[in-house]
Amino acid sequence: MATEIVNVKEFQELARQALPKMYYDYYSGGAEDQYTLRENMEAFCRIQIQPRILVDVSKIDMSTTVLGYNTSAPIMIAPTAMHQLAHPEGEVATARAAAACNTIMVLSYMSTCTVEEVASSCNAIRFFQLYVHKRRDVSAQLVQRAEGNGYKAVILTADAPRLGRREADIKNKMISPQLKNFEGLLSTEVDKGSNIQALASETFDASLCWKDIGWLRSITNLPILIKGVLTCEDGACLGWMPMLLWISHIMDTHLDGGNSLPRMEAEAAIKAVEVGFDGIIVSNHGARQLDYVPASISVLEEVVQAVGGKVPVLFDGGVRRGTDIFKALALGAQAVLVGRPVIYGLAAKGEYGVRRVIEMLKDELELSMALSGCPSVKDITRSHVRTERDRLQSML
Ligand SMILES: Cc1cc2nc3c(=O)[nH]c(=O)nc-3n(C[C@H](O)[C@H](O)[C@H](O)COP(=O)(O)O)c2cc1C
Ligand SMILES: CC(C)CC(=O)C(=O)O
């Protein structure tokens, strides 16, 4: 008899067994030395939870809203490319699982099922992730198809002017399938070098910058969120801060007239709000772009402070446990997105596997809330966690 799967991480091994090596490596891998890939998870381990006792937790309510849409828990499905390499039903199976769990799914621009196929497969709340194509008309058409098919928001991924260097994909000569969304629009059959690399360099418009957001606004009425730009080196310093940097930060605070953030990071976050984004996703793209950027959990709080509640801040990177979700919420995220675990569930057991992954995370979050004295999501506060920065501060 097969042993019971008891946590999300165990789906990774099932996926490894189920998938051809080339695809498993593509899904699981990160950039270059994979330092940030390890950090994304290890940084969670350095945050401790401070529970409260004797709180009535006989009922736990995990429900929340994201951009006004109700969801059963603050857990969303991150945009990840090419689900049909994991399972023949691809993104349709993922969307059905999202619908069954009452969770929001973000469809990748690089999906293998089309925007329309996913929309007509179920009633999941769907957002659409966008890469801005060198040919702007291609991106505009995709956004308009998404809007016409009931997707509720556009998520602009801003951390990929070029593709990160994923060495396993280079060695494996990772091949991308034809992406049906682009049929008739352009060819994705490129056969030089790493095909994924060639696909990305054909696609990504590396000239995209802040001033182009006006163009994006002009092609859609949907809310637009920005994903990935705020996990910059400036924020990273704080997560890993040696004592010296903390002292200089305190000095900055005084020189800055009370701004509690390092100036560069605050500027980046505020800029995103000023140019009119409707939400921010703190993300390092699952450590697949620039290696040696900080774990995204270690910059979350600075971004939340800089944004000051003006727009929602979502979070992704390394979420594998309910306690990870609890920690991200305590540090100010409105919800988390989950990338690889969803793919592992899909590869191992199709739609059912994705459902199990989400259910397991929900069950773990519910238990974490009960054991921490938090009957609802809004009861999870900053004082429920203790970070490295808190520990260093207490030594001053
Ligand atoms: C295989 C794979 C494909 C991805 N494809 C996309 C994509 O098409 N668009 C995008 O914005 N992010 C993409 N991402 C990044 C995810 O949206 C997300 O930021 C990341 O997976 C979160 O980290 P996690 O996998 O540790 O949960 C991808 C990530 C993986 C692992
Ligand atoms: C096809 C890739 C460009 C999709 C992606 O964003 C990724 O693999 O991280």
Side-chain angles (χ1 to χ4, degrees):
M1 206 175 74
T3 50
E4 191 183 347
I5 299 293
V6 293
N7 62 48
V8 156
K9 285 183 195 163
E10 291 182 352
F11 269 103
Q12 179 162 0
E13 178 53 24
L14 292 186
R16 198 184 62 73
Q17 289 165 17
L19 289 171
K21 180 177 170 359
M22 176 191 285
Y23 298 159
Y24 176 77
D25 286 354
Y26 167 68
Y27 288 135
S28 61
E32 295 185 353
D33 297 333
Q34 308 193 110
Y35 164 83
T36 300
L37 186 65
R38 291 185 293 278
E39 263 302 290
N40 264 1
M41 280 173 281
E42 284 170 14
F44 273 114
C45 301
R46 296 191 293 268
I47 300 172
Q48 295 161 355
I49 297 177
Q50 306 190 116
R52 304 295 187 276
I53 52 172
L54 292 181
V55 178
D56 178 356
V57 288
S58 52
K59 290 197 185 67
I60 300 291
D61 179 9
M62 289 187 290
S63 66
T64 189
T65 59
V66 176
L67 300 179
Y69 296 99
N70 295 328
T71 155
S72 61
I75 303 170
M76 299 168 56
I77 296 183
T80 51
M82 304 186 287
H83 288 196
Q84 277 181 341
L85 299 184
H87 189 275
E89 289 169 18
E91 290 83 1
V92 162
T94 311
R96 287 188 175 135
C101 297
N102 190 7
T103 299
I104 299 170
M105 170 180 178
V106 185
L107 183 73
S108 167
Y109 187 79
M110 300 294 199
S111 61
T112 32
C113 299
T114 64
V115 164
E116 293 80 7
E117 283 168 341
V118 175
S120 62
S121 68
C122 65
N123 62 358
I125 301 166
R126 286 160 279 108
F127 296 172
F128 179 70
Q129 178 262 323
L130 175 71
Y131 282 127
V132 173
H133 201 280
K134 281 182 175 147
R135 266 182 52 198
R136 294 277 165 97
D137 62 306
V138 172
S139 290
Q141 284 190 49
L142 262 286
V143 167
Q144 281 152 9
R145 277 165 58 189
E147 186 165 358
N149 280 280
Y151 290 69
K152 305 295 187 197
V154 172
I155 300 204
L156 173 69
T157 298
D159 56 14
R162 290 165 59 171
L163 196 70
R165 185 178 163 80
R166 299 124 188 218
E167 293 179 354
D169 294 347
I170 297 169
K171 274 193 199 301
N172 293 335
K173 301 203 188 313
M174 169 61 192
I175 295 160
S176 146
Q178 190 83 30
L179 301 177
K180 276 195 281 173
N181 269 328
F182 303 103
E183 261 170 28
L185 289 176
L186 41 94
S187 160
T188 52
E189 277 166 341
V190 190
D191 58 6
K192 53 178 157 42
S194 157
N195 201 339
I196 284 284
Q197 178 66 54
L199 169 69
S201 59
E202 265 207 340
T203 303
F204 299 160
D205 179 356
S207 75
L208 189 78
C209 53
W210 292 103
K211 69 176 167 40
D212 295 314
I213 305 315
W215 163 79
L216 195 49
R217 277 264 166 247
S218 77
I219 61 165
T220 182
N221 293 316
L222 293 175
I224 304 170
L225 286 75
I226 185 163
K227 174 173 181 278
V229 282
L230 297 174
T231 49
C232 62
E233 291 85 349
D234 306 297
C237 295
L238 277 184
W240 279 105
M241 169 189 62
M243 186 71 78
L244 199 61
L245 275 177
W246 177 247
I247 291 165
S248 83
H249 165 57
I250 301 263
M251 286 170 71
D252 266 4
T253 301
H254 290 294
L255 295 173
D256 242 6
N259 181 351
S260 64
L261 289 160
R263 259 176 240 121
M264 287 299 290
E265 181 61 32
E267 275 169 21
I270 289 162
K271 187 153 189 174
V273 177
E274 274 175 2
V275 301
F277 283 106
D278 301 291
I280 284 172
I281 303 181
V282 174
S283 169
N284 55 26
H285 207 113
R288 295 161 72 79
Q289 287 298 103
L290 182 62
D291 200 12
Y292 295 99
V293 298
S296 31
I297 193 65
S298 68
V299 296
L300 172 62
E301 188 174 18
E302 289 95 74
V303 173
V304 166
Q305 286 184 17
V307 169
K310 293 191 188 72
V311 296
V313 177
L314 309 178
F315 167 85
D316 77 27
V319 171
R320 302 292 181 270
R321 283 284 189 188
T323 47
D324 297 338
I325 302 168
F326 184 95
K327 291 170 185 178
L329 298 182
L331 293 171
Q334 189 164 10
V336 304
L337 295 90
V338 180
R340 291 180 185 83
V342 166
I343 302 174
Y344 297 147
L346 183 67
K349 292 178 188 296
E351 176 187 335
Y352 172 76
V354 178
R355 238 175 49 219
R356 283 302 298 138
V357 162
I358 296 166
E359 282 165 5
M360 279 174 155
L361 288 173
K362 280 169 78 167
D363 289 348
E364 289 180 2
L365 175 62
E366 195 203 27
L367 182 61
S368 306
M369 289 169 67
L371 295 177
S372 309
C374 298
S376 76
V377 163
K378 69 173 171 9
D379 294 312
I380 305 173
T381 66
R382 177 62 179 83
S383 66
H384 284 91
V385 291
R386 189 170 158 84
T387 61
E388 284 183 299
R389 189 187 338 174
D390 296 335
R391 287 192 288 277
L392 287 165
Q393 199 172 1
S394 70
M395 284 186 236
L396 284 179

